[in-house]
Amino acid sequence: MKILVINGPNINMLGVREPDIYGKQTFADLLALLDETARKEGLEISQFQSNHEGAIVDKIQESYGKIDGIVINPAAYTHTSVAILDALKAVGIPAVEVHISDVDAREPFRQLSYPGMYCEKTVKGQGLDGYRQAILYLKEKYGK
Ligand code: DQA
């Protein structure tokens, strides 16, 4: 099974960025977690991080017919991007949304998620382990 993990803006700054909210683990730690999960679970996991909304839309479109499941942390675009929502709807690939922090317990503007309107499930407030949980959900539901 082929899973694509997409991260939006500033996720590459993990470890440096607001560690009281996002923790001290770095983006490199996240990449290592994805590699380890791929090995343990027998999955093909690719990843893409971008600070640009259009690049994320392009990547979702490119996944059509190639990827079996998407795990996406759209970061700040969560709360603004109809374009990412529409791209997910366009390709129709099963998707799970991840947020490292517990967005429900934060500012009111973080309560709305456009991509979340498409995603089957949202994992929030679980730190980096949320990505592993999202991957396992897709494997259990769609893995052959
Ligand atoms: C985030 C939550 C968003 O509100 C924020 O803009 C981020 C990260 C999270 O992983 O907790 O950049 O998606």
Side-chain angles (χ1 to χ4, degrees), residues 2-140:
K2 291 181 182 166
I3 293 180
L4 170 65
V5 178
I6 299 176
N7 280 296
N10 303 305
I11 300 298
N12 55 319
M13 296 292 286
L14 280 179
V16 174
R17 173 193 189 197
E18 301 180 273
D20 46 321
I21 295 175
Y22 298 109
K24 288 188 180 146
Q25 285 187 290
T26 63
F27 186 60
D29 292 332
L30 172 57
L31 299 184
L33 179 146
L34 297 180
D35 280 349
E36 190 195 320
T37 307
R39 230 177 308 114
K40 265 196 192 155
E41 303 296 333
L43 299 165
E44 268 184 60
I45 301 179
S46 52
Q47 72 82 31
F48 180 74
Q49 188 279 328
S50 178
N51 296 323
H52 305 278
E53 184 177 20
I56 294 170
V57 170
D58 287 344
K59 190 69 186 179
I60 293 169
Q61 289 185 8
E62 279 165 25
S63 303
Y64 181 70
K66 295 183 193 150
I67 292 290
D68 306 306
I70 291 177
V71 170
I72 184 163
N73 182 349
Y77 291 136
T78 303
H79 318 299
T80 61
S81 184
V82 177
I84 292 175
L85 168 62
D86 284 350
L88 289 168
K89 284 170 140 180
V91 297
I93 299 169
V96 177
E97 180 185 25
V98 172
H99 296 290
I100 296 163
S101 66
D102 180 7
V103 277
D104 289 344
R106 299 181 63 193
E107 302 94 322
F109 68 84
R110 294 186 204 272
Q111 308 308 313
L112 176 67
S113 169
Y114 287 101
M117 292 173 195
Y118 171 81
C119 292
E120 288 185 21
K121 181 182 165 73
T122 298
V123 183
K124 39 193 155 186
Q126 302 294 306
L128 298 192
D129 194 62
Y131 291 87
R132 199 183 56 82
Q133 293 174 31
I135 290 164
L136 291 183
Y137 171 88
L138 288 170
K139 183 191 172 189
E140 271 157 37

